[in-house]
Amino acid sequence: MDQITHKFIHVNGLKLHVAEIGSESSPVVIFLHGFPEIWYTWRHQMVAVANAGFRAIAPDFRGYGLSDAPSEPEKACFADLVNDTASILDSLAISKAFVVAKDFGGWVAYAFALLHPHKVAGIITSNVLFMPPGAFTDHFVFPEGFYVSRWQTPGRAEADFGRLDVKSVVRNIYIMFCQSEMPIAAENEEIMDLVKPSTPLPSWITEEDIATYGTLYEKNGFRTALQVPYRTMHTVGSEVKDPKIEVPTLVIIGEKDYVMNVPGMEEYIRSDGVKKFVANHETVFVANGCHFVHEQFPDHVNKLILDFLDHNKHLALV
């Protein structure tokens, strides 16, 4: 961790924070985070890939962590994050990179590969498979009390989160998301009510880790984070009419990830329907793995990532 350096890159009118480790002459791996995370979620993986001879780069998305928020967070969209990813690589004179992403960062990764295929050597995502544009609105129906449904309503999550300090919000979300059940609130309760203050953290994350997340969220709060991904999910990849991912992809999914219980999701994952869009695709299930499998079982996930990178390293040199 002490070897990870930090810099700020001015792109698209904003100053974005980027964590980095590894030699500038090495093949590049860019890590894209989900929610409620920032670059720090990839701390175990960044060190592992750097030790294996790669250069690891992990930005905070705009409005997350130490990166600047857009002037109007309520107008932010997935296209902004895709453009920022391309601009970060261009600013660092990186022509091609492997993309490793979690959660909604996976949607950014796939959209980035569709729009900038020459910049991508391969994709690894955690708990998110490629889905064609409109998949969420056309194929998956979320229960009313599901956290995604609740957070899509402007103002509701802001009021819910506003009852607590930032660290407690992140702590509650970590506890909720590491369960196998979908976080669903009753009609007369809010999402933050689903976690009692006395509930302990899972053994694989510490109070110090949560404090780090909380401190880094103090800068921007959750305004942009609630807009992207939750209120712009329908826009993912909408620019592409015939989506095809040409590079190798690996999806790592915890078998006890609550995402598996989203109606229709497990059927889609296990049916290999994704191969209609991604020809060179592999899915690996991690026994007892939860939504944060990369933090829960870092050694196992690191091995999966490194095996993929080693097998496809030649693609980063093209």
Side-chain angles (χ1 to χ4, degrees), residues 27-31 49 52 54 97-101 110 120-125 245-252 278-284 300-316:
V28 175
V29 184
I30 185 168
F31 291 87
V49 302
F54 293 85
F98 290 99
V99 185
V100 179
Y110 290 124
V120 180
I123 301 172
I124 303 172
T125 59
I245 301 292
E246 303 295 341
V247 297
T249 71
L250 170 67
V251 177
I252 303 169
V278 188
N280 190 350
H281 168 86
E282 180 183 6
T283 301
V284 175
H300 182 51
V301 171
N302 290 350
K303 185 178 186 308
L304 293 172
I305 290 174
L306 291 174
D307 287 348
F308 178 91
L309 294 177
D310 287 339
H311 182 72
N312 295 291
K313 184 185 290 188
H314 63 285
L315 298 175

Side-chain angles (χ1 to χ4, degrees), residues 2 19 24 113 117 135 175 218 267 291:
D2 292 341
E24 291 189 1
I175 290 170
E218 290 283 355
E267 180 183 357
H291 193 62

Side-chain angles (χ1 to χ4, degrees), residues 142-161:
F142 298 140
E144 188 282 325
F146 187 39
Y147 80 93
V148 172
S149 304
R150 290 290 181 87
W151 292 352
Q152 287 176 338
T153 303
R156 185 159 191 173
E158 287 86 342
D160 186 17
F161 291 4

Side-chain angles (χ1 to χ4, degrees), residues 76-98:
C77 64
F78 272 93
D80 294 330
L81 306 190
V82 174
N83 292 337
D84 288 346
T85 302
S87 296
I88 287 170
L89 294 180
D90 288 344
S91 178
L92 295 173
I94 296 168
S95 59
K96 182 171 283 192
F98 290 99

Side-chain angles (χ1 to χ4, degrees), residues 7-271:
K7 66 178 68 174
F8 289 89
I9 299 176
H10 292 265
V11 296
N12 303 326
L14 298 174
K15 185 174 67 174
L16 302 184
H17 169 251
V18 177
E20 182 174 358
I21 183 173
S23 169
E24 291 189 1
S25 62
S26 299
V28 175
V29 184
I30 185 168
F31 291 87
L32 305 179
H33 64 79
F35 179 80
E37 299 134 331
I38 34 80
W39 76 268
Y40 185 77
T41 194
W42 295 114
R43 58 199 181 279
H44 306 299
Q45 286 70 43
M46 292 180 70
V47 172
V49 302
N51 288 341
F54 293 85
R55 179 184 180 188
I57 295 170
D60 292 339
F61 286 131
R62 57 171 59 199
Y64 282 78
L66 298 178
S67 290
D68 285 349
S71 58
E72 296 180 282
E74 290 74 20
K75 293 184 179 180
C77 64
F78 272 93
D80 294 330
L81 306 190
V82 174
N83 292 337
D84 288 346
T85 302
S87 296
I88 287 170
L89 294 180
D90 288 344
S91 178
L92 295 173
I94 296 168
S95 59
K96 182 171 283 192
F98 290 99
V99 185
V100 179
K102 176 193 174 288
D103 195 66
F104 83 86
W107 303 340
V108 178
Y110 290 124
F112 178 64
L114 290 172
L115 295 171
H116 303 277
H118 60 288
K119 293 181 180 292
V120 180
I123 301 172
I124 303 172
T125 59
S126 176
N127 65 49
V128 168
L129 280 77
F130 176 82
M131 294 183 183
F136 279 106
T137 53
D138 296 342
H139 302 295
F140 300 102
V141 179
F142 298 140
E144 188 282 325
F146 187 39
Y147 80 93
V148 172
S149 304
R150 290 290 181 87
W151 292 352
Q152 287 176 338
T153 303
R156 185 159 191 173
E158 287 86 342
D160 186 17
F161 291 4
R163 298 178 295 155
L164 304 171
D165 60 78
V166 172
K167 175 186 171 183
S168 296
V169 172
V170 175
R171 189 180 191 278
N172 284 357
I173 295 172
Y174 254 85
I175 290 170
M176 280 190 300
F177 284 9
C178 73
Q179 306 299 317
S180 59
E181 299 82 13
M182 294 172 61
I184 298 176
E187 185 176 352
N188 61 346
E189 67 179 351
E190 298 299 327
I191 298 300
M192 288 295 107
D193 297 329
L194 294 176
V195 181
K196 296 179 180 179
S198 60
T199 305
L201 287 168
S203 61
W204 42 265
I205 192 166
T206 67
E207 292 289 353
E208 290 75 18
D209 291 328
I210 295 297
T212 297
Y213 281 120
T215 298
L216 293 172
Y217 266 94
E218 290 283 355
K219 178 181 184 333
N220 292 304
F222 301 102
R223 286 183 67 189
T224 309
L226 288 167
Q227 174 69 9
V228 185
Y230 299 104
R231 296 167 189 169
T232 52
M233 295 169 67
H234 62 285
T235 69
V236 180
S238 57
E239 309 93 326
V240 180
K241 301 307 178 187
D242 184 27
K244 292 289 189 298
I245 301 292
E246 303 295 341
V247 297
T249 71
L250 170 67
V251 177
I252 303 169
I253 299 179
E255 287 192 328
K256 293 189 176 180
D257 189 336
Y258 71 85
V259 170
M260 296 287 283
N261 289 318
V262 171
M265 187 64 71
E266 182 170 7
E267 180 183 357
Y268 178 74
I269 292 170
R270 295 192 182 277
S271 70

